[in-house]
Structure formats: structure tokens, C-alpha cells
Amino acid sequence: MASLDSQDIDPAVESRVRSLQTEISKQFNLLIMDVTFLQAARQPQTLQTRQQQMTQRLQMLLSYCEAILSLDKVDKGDKGDKGD
């Protein structure tokens, strides 16, 4: 995993990444709760509901990660345009 100084990142992009990181952290904590509730579930319907919630949460986490990656592409693209 590469590390960047905050000087290497556009302030607007850095702010957006921090916001997304906060949401990722929240979703991970909720996912942990989902797993706990899934383990406690006894009824088939409850198990199915919990699994669906976990699937949705994982999809959301994936979308946050994709958003961060797309910001990286935009940030690199902006820097390349400034040099022309």
C-alpha cells in the first residue's frame, strides 16, 4: 500500500477521501454487528435477512472503495493536465 504526503493530494480530494474513510469505518463496525446478529439468529427468515443486510453493506463498502480509486484517477488526471 503506497503512502502519500498530504502535499501530494489536492485538498478537495483529500477531504473526500477522509469522508469516505469515515463511512468505511462506520460500515465495518456495522458489519461486525451484522455478523454478531447473524450468529445469534435461529429462524431461517432471520438468517436470510441478516445475510441480505451483510451483502448490501459489503456492496456499499465496495462502492466506497471504488469511489476512492476514482478520485485517485481524477487527481492524477488533473495534475497531468496542469503540465500541458
Side-chain angles (χ1 to χ4, degrees), residues 49-62:
T49 300
R50 296 296 178 190
Q51 288 172 336
Q52 289 171 345
Q53 288 172 331
M54 291 172 64
T55 298
Q56 290 170 350
R57 200 166 312 283
L58 289 167
Q59 289 170 340
M60 184 166 294
L61 283 164
L62 181 58

Side-chain angles (χ1 to χ4, degrees), residues 4-21:
L4 295 174
D5 288 336
S6 60
Q7 297 170 350
D8 296 335
I9 302 174
D10 179 279
V13 172
E14 182 180 10
S15 174
R16 183 67 179 138
V17 168
R18 288 189 191 280
S19 174
L20 288 164
Q21 287 174 328

Side-chain angles (χ1 to χ4, degrees), residues 22-40 47-65:
T22 299
E23 290 303 318
I24 287 169
S25 178
K26 288 178 186 178
Q27 292 299 319
F28 267 128
N29 287 332
L30 291 170
L31 184 60
I32 290 168
M33 298 273 300
D34 289 340
V35 170
T36 302
F37 287 135
L38 178 69
Q39 291 171 337
L47 287 168
Q48 183 178 11
T49 300
R50 296 296 178 190
Q51 288 172 336
Q52 289 171 345
Q53 288 172 331
M54 291 172 64
T55 298
Q56 290 170 350
R57 200 166 312 283
L58 289 167
Q59 289 170 340
M60 184 166 294
L61 283 164
L62 181 58
S63 72
Y64 290 150
C65 293

Side-chain angles (χ1 to χ4, degrees), residues 61-78:
L61 283 164
L62 181 58
S63 72
Y64 290 150
C65 293
E66 289 170 344
I68 289 173
L69 291 174
S70 70
L71 288 173
D72 181 51
K73 290 177 186 177
V74 169
D75 189 42
K76 286 180 182 176
D78 287 346

